[in-house]
Amino acid sequence: GNVSGRVSEVTGSLAEKTRGLSAGAAGLLGTAATAAYKAGTAADELNTLSKQSGFSTEQIQTWQYGADRVDVSVEDIINSAKKMKKNMVSTSSEVTDAWNRLGISVRDQSGELRDSTQVFDEVVTALSSVENETERDTLAMTLFGKSADSLAGLLDDGGEAVRQFGQEAKDAGLILSQDTLDS
């Protein structure tokens, strides 16, 4: 009896969690109209951010949806990503050491710079697995610059939550394509 009681406790708890997710997803869809309106009025801002940062409008929107939910500002993510992008071509030994310490190569086999969005994701994931907090903070500051301080919500789980929320937004059709934004 004790084991089956525990099993139903666990399944009950799982059911509760999935219900929460469904409600969250429903909430996400419920705000789709509002989000679309906001996105429409923010299309110019998105295009400007994209031009300034070099990241696609789709990537920026994905970060926006996720960032709101982990208490990190999308501006901080973009500023960090921009700084990291500059550091992809840096020859400073401090920066080179940081890339090596995290085991991240900024160039592909043919010597070309890799996609910075991909590299950013890898850095966030790698930083989350650095046990020593001081070392993690130092590496983050080295690669992301001043805004690294405000990325705690993103680094805690290696960016998993932001990726997950971003994917939910994509699946729900909340990420507007460049063509849609331009029109």
Side-chain angles (χ1 to χ4, degrees), residues 133-171:
E133 222 174 293
T134 310
E135 185 182 2
R136 180 177 45 222
D137 292 348
T138 305
L139 289 166
M141 288 296 273
T142 301
L143 295 179
F144 291 147
K146 290 190 295 277
S147 36
D149 272 352
S150 48
L151 294 184
L154 179 69
L155 299 179
D156 286 342
D157 68 350
E160 200 44 55
V162 171
R163 274 191 289 279
Q164 200 176 329
F165 287 123
Q167 191 55 54
E168 281 180 26
K170 271 184 192 162
D171 295 346

Side-chain angles (χ1 to χ4, degrees), residues 11-80:
T11 37
S13 162
L14 279 172
E16 227 174 273
K17 283 188 173 85
T18 15
R19 248 199 317 280
L21 275 179
S22 307
L28 200 62
L29 287 171
T31 58
T34 316
Y37 171 76
K38 281 185 188 164
T41 59
D44 288 343
E45 284 174 45
L46 270 172
N47 282 330
T48 303
L49 265 179
S50 176
K51 281 185 188 81
Q52 290 172 345
S53 68
F55 293 100
S56 73
T57 53
E58 290 177 30
Q59 180 60 54
I60 292 170
Q61 289 175 85
T62 304
W63 281 336
Q64 272 176 329
Y65 282 103
D68 288 347
R69 285 155 188 81
V70 296
D71 231 13
V72 174
S73 88
V74 75
E75 287 78 15
D76 287 336
I77 293 179
I78 291 171
N79 288 335
S80 298

Side-chain angles (χ1 to χ4, degrees), residues 59-149:
Q59 180 60 54
I60 292 170
Q61 289 175 85
T62 304
W63 281 336
Q64 272 176 329
Y65 282 103
D68 288 347
R69 285 155 188 81
V70 296
D71 231 13
V72 174
S73 88
V74 75
E75 287 78 15
D76 287 336
I77 293 179
I78 291 171
N79 288 335
S80 298
K82 274 169 43 179
K83 176 72 172 158
M84 183 219 71
K85 208 174 188 177
K86 283 184 186 146
N87 278 325
M88 287 175 68
V89 293
S90 169
T91 53
S92 120
S93 63
E94 188 186 6
V95 170
T96 308
D97 288 347
W99 291 121
N100 291 337
R101 170 68 185 88
L102 293 172
I104 295 172
S105 177
V106 294
R107 297 188 180 275
D108 60 22
Q109 278 104 348
S110 59
E112 295 296 310
L113 276 179
R114 294 178 53 222
D115 175 71
S116 56
T117 304
Q118 234 177 340
V119 173
F120 182 79
D121 278 345
E122 287 176 21
V123 172
V124 168
T125 303
L127 282 170
S128 73
S129 62
V130 175
E131 297 287 317
N132 180 317
E133 222 174 293
T134 310
E135 185 182 2
R136 180 177 45 222
D137 292 348
T138 305
L139 289 166
M141 288 296 273
T142 301
L143 295 179
F144 291 147
K146 290 190 295 277
S147 36
D149 272 352

